[in-house]
Amino acid sequence: MNGTKRTFYFVLGWVMVALGFIGVLLPVMPTTIFLIIAAWCFSRSSPRFEKWLLEHPVFGPTLVQWREHGAVPKRVKWIACGGMTLGYATFMYVARPSPLLGGVVAVFFIACAAYVLTRPSLAA
Protein backbone atom coordinates (compact mmCIF):
# COMPACT_ATOMS: atom_id res chain seq x y z
CA MET A 1 0.00 0.00 0.00
CA ASN A 2 1.37 3.41 -0.89
CA GLY A 3 2.03 6.15 1.64
CA THR A 4 -0.98 8.25 0.67
CA LYS A 5 -3.42 5.39 1.33
CA ARG A 6 -1.73 4.52 4.61
CA THR A 7 -1.93 8.16 5.72
CA PHE A 8 -5.60 8.33 4.69
CA TYR A 9 -6.46 5.18 6.68
CA PHE A 10 -4.41 6.39 9.65
CA VAL A 11 -6.17 9.77 9.79
CA LEU A 12 -9.58 8.16 9.22
CA GLY A 13 -8.80 5.69 12.01
CA TRP A 14 -8.17 8.53 14.46
CA VAL A 15 -11.32 10.36 13.34
CA MET A 16 -13.26 7.15 14.07
CA VAL A 17 -11.58 6.80 17.49
CA ALA A 18 -12.55 10.40 18.29
CA LEU A 19 -16.16 9.78 17.21
CA GLY A 20 -16.20 6.56 19.23
CA PHE A 21 -15.03 8.30 22.37
CA ILE A 22 -17.59 11.07 21.83
CA GLY A 23 -20.15 8.27 21.61
CA VAL A 24 -19.11 7.14 25.09
CA LEU A 25 -20.20 10.53 26.42
CA LEU A 26 -23.32 11.12 24.30
CA PRO A 27 -26.12 8.57 24.64
CA VAL A 28 -27.51 9.29 21.17
CA MET A 29 -24.26 8.51 19.36
CA PRO A 30 -22.85 5.00 18.88
CA THR A 31 -19.42 3.96 20.05
CA THR A 32 -18.70 0.43 18.91
CA ILE A 33 -19.26 0.90 15.18
CA PHE A 34 -16.78 3.77 15.08
CA LEU A 35 -14.19 1.70 16.93
CA ILE A 36 -14.77 -1.26 14.60
CA ILE A 37 -14.10 1.05 11.65
CA ALA A 38 -11.05 2.50 13.45
CA ALA A 39 -9.60 -0.98 14.00
CA TRP A 40 -10.16 -1.77 10.32
CA CYS A 41 -8.42 1.48 9.28
CA PHE A 42 -5.50 0.82 11.63
CA SER A 43 -5.16 -2.72 10.26
CA ARG A 44 -4.30 -1.03 6.95
CA SER A 45 -2.12 1.74 8.35
CA SER A 46 -0.73 1.16 11.84
CA PRO A 47 -0.33 -2.26 13.45
CA ARG A 48 0.66 -0.46 16.66
CA PHE A 49 -2.66 1.37 17.01
CA GLU A 50 -4.65 -1.63 15.80
CA LYS A 51 -3.05 -3.63 18.64
CA TRP A 52 -3.80 -0.79 21.07
CA LEU A 53 -7.50 -0.87 20.18
CA LEU A 54 -7.79 -4.67 20.20
CA GLU A 55 -6.06 -4.85 23.60
CA HIS A 56 -7.94 -1.91 25.13
CA PRO A 57 -9.31 -3.09 28.50
CA VAL A 58 -12.82 -1.70 27.88
CA PHE A 59 -13.34 -1.82 24.11
CA GLY A 60 -10.91 -4.54 23.07
CA PRO A 61 -12.99 -7.64 23.93
CA THR A 62 -15.99 -6.39 21.94
CA LEU A 63 -13.79 -5.54 18.95
CA VAL A 64 -12.10 -8.94 19.03
CA GLN A 65 -15.48 -10.73 19.24
CA TRP A 66 -16.70 -8.75 16.25
CA ARG A 67 -13.56 -9.41 14.24
CA GLU A 68 -13.38 -13.13 15.01
CA HIS A 69 -17.07 -14.09 15.13
CA GLY A 70 -19.15 -11.15 13.87
CA ALA A 71 -20.58 -11.25 17.38
CA VAL A 72 -22.03 -8.52 19.58
CA PRO A 73 -22.33 -9.18 23.33
CA LYS A 74 -25.91 -9.06 24.68
CA ARG A 75 -25.08 -6.14 26.96
CA VAL A 76 -23.81 -4.13 23.98
CA LYS A 77 -26.97 -5.02 22.02
CA TRP A 78 -29.13 -3.63 24.82
CA ILE A 79 -27.04 -0.47 25.07
CA ALA A 80 -27.14 0.04 21.29
CA CYS A 81 -30.90 -0.44 21.07
CA GLY A 82 -31.47 1.77 24.10
CA GLY A 83 -29.29 4.48 22.56
CA MET A 84 -31.18 4.25 19.27
CA THR A 85 -34.50 4.51 21.10
CA LEU A 86 -33.30 7.51 23.09
CA GLY A 87 -31.87 9.08 19.94
CA TYR A 88 -35.14 8.63 18.04
CA ALA A 89 -37.20 10.01 20.92
CA THR A 90 -34.89 13.02 21.18
CA PHE A 91 -35.09 13.56 17.41
CA MET A 92 -38.90 13.45 17.47
CA TYR A 93 -39.14 15.77 20.48
CA VAL A 94 -36.55 18.35 19.39
CA ALA A 95 -36.92 18.39 15.60
CA ARG A 96 -40.70 17.82 15.41
CA PRO A 97 -40.30 16.30 11.93
CA SER A 98 -43.06 15.73 9.43
CA PRO A 99 -44.74 12.31 9.69
CA LEU A 100 -42.93 11.22 6.52
CA LEU A 101 -39.47 12.16 7.82
CA GLY A 102 -40.26 10.70 11.25
CA GLY A 103 -41.28 7.46 9.56
CA VAL A 104 -38.15 7.32 7.40
CA VAL A 105 -35.93 7.86 10.44
CA ALA A 106 -37.91 5.23 12.38
CA VAL A 107 -37.42 2.69 9.58
CA PHE A 108 -33.68 3.47 9.57
CA PHE A 109 -33.39 2.93 13.33
CA ILE A 110 -35.49 -0.24 13.18
CA ALA A 111 -33.27 -1.62 10.41
CA CYS A 112 -30.14 -0.79 12.43
CA ALA A 113 -31.60 -2.39 15.56
CA ALA A 114 -32.61 -5.48 13.60
CA TYR A 115 -29.07 -5.81 12.26
CA VAL A 116 -27.56 -5.50 15.74
CA LEU A 117 -30.05 -7.93 17.28
CA THR A 118 -29.50 -10.58 14.61
CA ARG A 119 -25.73 -10.74 15.17
CA PRO A 120 -24.51 -13.71 17.20
CA SER A 121 -24.05 -13.11 20.95
CA LEU A 122 -21.02 -14.18 22.91
CA ALA A 123 -20.23 -13.45 26.52
CA ALA A 124 -18.78 -10.01 27.15
Side-chain angles (χ1 to χ4, degrees):
M1 181 179 304
N2 69 33
T4 303
K5 281 186 179 179
R6 282 181 62 117
T7 301
F8 172 77
Y9 284 127
F10 185 76
V11 170
L12 183 60
W14 279 110
V15 169
M16 295 297 115
V17 167
L19 290 173
F21 281 110
I22 290 169
V24 170
L25 303 173
L26 298 177
V28 297
M29 190 166 165
T31 299
T32 305
I33 189 64
F34 290 120
L35 297 180
I36 288 170
I37 295 168
W40 181 83
C41 289
F42 289 145
S43 75
R44 283 148 182 76
S45 64
S46 174
R48 175 179 160 209
F49 287 112
E50 176 190 24
K51 182 178 188 247
W52 170 74
L53 266 181
L54 295 177
E55 293 178 355
H56 190 278
V58 175
F59 305 112
T62 300
L63 296 173
V64 170
Q65 284 187 14
W66 175 259
R67 182 173 277 182
E68 293 178 359
H69 307 287
V72 178
K74 286 183 183 181
R75 179 178 171 275
V76 174
K77 288 181 182 186
W78 282 107
I79 292 169
C81 289
M84 285 184 257
T85 301
L86 181 60
Y88 181 73
T90 302
F91 167 72
M92 292 299 289
Y93 181 77
V94 173
R96 306 248 189 237
S98 69
L100 177 63
L101 180 58
V104 168
V105 172
V107 167
F108 174 76
F109 275 122
I110 290 168
C112 291
Y115 179 79
V116 168
L117 293 172
T118 58
R119 300 305 93 203
S121 295
L122 298 175

